[in-house]
Amino acid sequence: HLTNLEQLFDIVRCRCGNLTVYLTADTLKRPWCAGEVTMAWQIHKRVTTIYHPSFVAPTDEQLECLDSYITAVDFTLAEYGMHDALIVSAFSWLLNDLDQKFHLCLDLAGRTMFETVVDQVLRCGTSRNDPLPGSVSTRSSIRPGCVVISSAPKDDEANASVGIILSRIQASLLEAVPVGLL
């Protein structure tokens, strides 16, 4: 688990323009995720939520007893000035008050499912037919000199991670590899 939460919360506070929260069955149960959401709520950051089908919102009973809902670790969010009432307010805001909510489409598999939701997020507020800057087709064939990054098609967290990695390294790879990226 994460240990330097002060630095993590500082990133949300000072260096994050928009926090994207990927809501899975366990996201809000992780104290660092609960803290990121709470920090974003406190300072009025823009937040986008992406709902995985496994996500179930906490019940009123769970929100009344956050100590049993949020996974126990060797620290508390109160050490960072985030008390239960503040966290509950942030969760309520996240789940009820935001306009930018997106849902994964389970009819799609693997990376395509994540690319589709990223496409929806990026197109929010634009015409559906506008091309996305930096779009790369995943339908090309594998050729010599091509870099292939793959993951298990049914492992959503692995696919999301691959998508993040690709978005971070794509430009560098396209400069270094003559054929391109698949």
Side-chain angles (χ1 to χ4, degrees):
H1 70 235
L2 300 175
T3 55
N4 190 350
L5 293 186
E6 190 62 45
Q7 182 179 9
L8 178 65
F9 299 152
D10 190 55
I11 289 170
V12 172
R13 183 176 26 256
C14 302
R15 295 192 288 170
C16 175
N18 184 81
L19 180 68
T20 299
V21 181
Y22 178 45
L23 291 169
T24 66
D26 295 323
T27 304
L28 296 180
K29 295 176 184 177
R30 295 179 178 126
W32 45 89
C33 296
E36 289 175 317
V37 168
T38 303
M39 178 58 65
W41 175 75
Q42 282 182 295
I43 60 173
H44 310 286
K45 284 286 181 184
R46 287 188 324 259
V47 174
T48 300
T49 52
I50 299 173
Y51 286 79
H52 185 274
S54 68
F55 176 74
V56 177
T59 65
D60 290 340
E61 292 79 21
Q62 290 169 320
L63 292 176
E64 288 174 14
C65 189
L66 282 179
D67 288 342
S68 63
Y69 179 71
I70 295 177
T71 304
V73 289
D74 55 352
F75 63 87
T76 66
L77 289 173
E79 295 172 31
Y80 299 92
M82 298 179 197
H83 298 280
D84 287 1
L86 197 63
I87 297 167
V88 169
S89 294
F91 283 7
S92 176
W93 166 75
L94 179 77
L95 301 173
N96 301 310
D97 297 343
L98 295 180
D99 293 331
Q100 287 199 355
K101 298 178 182 183
F102 300 90
H103 297 266
L104 290 177
C105 177
L106 290 181
D107 294 338
L108 303 172
R111 205 171 107 203
T112 305
M113 178 172 51
F114 292 97
E115 289 173 343
T116 300
V117 78
V118 167
D119 181 62
Q120 292 171 352
V121 170
L122 293 175
R123 288 185 189 281
C124 189
T126 66
S127 166
R128 184 73 191 140
N129 296 321
D130 291 344
L132 292 174
S135 295
V136 175
S137 170
T138 59
R139 305 258 185 256
S140 60
S141 60
I142 299 173
R143 299 175 305 273
C146 185
V147 173
V148 177
I149 300 175
S150 67
S151 63
K154 295 188 184 237
D155 185 338
D156 290 343
E157 288 197 22
N159 287 309
S161 297
V162 165
I164 292 167
I165 290 167
L166 287 173
S167 71
R168 303 287 292 191
I169 67 171
Q170 181 172 326
S172 299
L173 280 176
L174 289 175
E175 291 173 8
V177 178
V179 177
L181 179 68
L182 174 63

